[in-house]
Amino acid sequence: MALPSVWSVMRVAIPFISVVGLLSVRLVGAGQDSGSVIPAESRPCVDCHAFEFMQRALQDLKKTAYNLDTRTETLLMRAEKRGLCDCFHAIH
């Protein structure tokens, strides 16, 4: 029994692998098409999502900065009041 040459094996193997690859790609594509598809025109782009995310993050930062500023003012007012009261009690 003679062994087949490498070239004869390759002539059969390459088309076989190609056919199996094409079939698997079609099966994967068919699995993705089964769900509801949103047309590209109605989907927001990635840049729009990033922009909206950055807007929300900026708003959150502004709120945080305002809250910190308000808190700092309150603490400074308390410290000044305490200092003034201490001075007033020291004088009398």
Side-chain angles (χ1 to χ4, degrees), residues 28-40:
V28 169
Q32 290 177 348
D33 292 340
S34 63
S36 61
V37 177
I38 300 171

Side-chain angles (χ1 to χ4, degrees), residues 31-91:
Q32 290 177 348
D33 292 340
S34 63
S36 61
V37 177
I38 300 171
E41 300 84 35
S42 64
R43 289 186 304 220
C45 61
V46 173
D47 291 338
C48 297
H49 283 301
F51 182 74
E52 290 171 1
F53 174 79
M54 292 302 290
Q55 275 187 321
R56 285 194 300 270
L58 183 60
Q59 288 172 352
D60 290 345
L61 284 172
K62 285 181 180 178
K63 285 180 189 176
T64 303
Y66 177 77
N67 289 339
L68 287 173
D69 189 41
T70 303
R71 182 77 177 140
T72 303
E73 278 187 38
T74 303
L75 290 173
L76 285 173
M77 294 290 276
R78 283 184 190 168
E80 287 177 7
K81 182 179 176 184
R82 188 176 304 139
L84 287 173
C85 290
D86 289 345
C87 286
F88 183 75
H89 290 298
I91 294 174

Side-chain angles (χ1 to χ4, degrees), residues 9-25:
V9 171
M10 292 300 278
R11 265 188 260 152
V12 173
I14 289 176
F16 179 74
I17 292 172
S18 299
V19 169
V20 169
L22 288 174
L23 288 175
S24 65
V25 167

